[in-house]
């Protein structure tokens, strides 16, 4: 099975160094959405202040597979 890596970014980047073996790109996208849903509550203050938050999935060759992003904008 292919190995996928997850990067969480909100100014600082947290890289998944071990990765996770998943069936395919669709499975990796599903996991990225789960990670996003689980972690977004802890990003509330940063988003309220106008920041961004992203969960990105890359493959073993560091190719981008999927990204989900939240943006907070104050006007």
């Amino acid at each position: 099975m292919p190995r996928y890596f997850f990067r969480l970014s909100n100014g600082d980047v947290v890289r998944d160094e071990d990765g996770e073996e998943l069936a395919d790109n669709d499975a990796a996208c599903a996991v990225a959405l789960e990670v996003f849903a689980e972690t977004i509550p802890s990003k509330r203050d940063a988003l309220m202040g106008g920041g961004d938050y992203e969960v990105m999935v890359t493959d073993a060759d560091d190719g981008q597979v999927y990204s989900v992003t939240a943006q907070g904008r104050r006007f």
Side-chain angles (χ1 to χ4, degrees), residues 5 25 28-30 32-33 54-58 63-68:
F5 299 85
N25 285 3
C29 294
L33 287 169
E54 177 184 36
V55 174
M56 177 182 287
V57 182
T58 60
Q64 296 178 356
V65 174
Y66 183 75
S67 172
V68 58

Side-chain angles (χ1 to χ4, degrees), residues 28-73:
C29 294
V31 171
L33 287 169
E34 290 171 11
V35 169
F36 186 84
E38 290 172 6
T39 56
I40 193 76
S42 68
K43 307 305 177 194
R44 179 182 174 268
D45 290 343
L47 291 168
M48 288 289 291
D52 298 339
Y53 177 59
E54 177 184 36
V55 174
M56 177 182 287
V57 182
T58 60
D59 60 21
D61 296 322
D62 205 32
Q64 296 178 356
V65 174
Y66 183 75
S67 172
V68 58
T69 305
Q71 295 179 328
R73 298 288 179 252

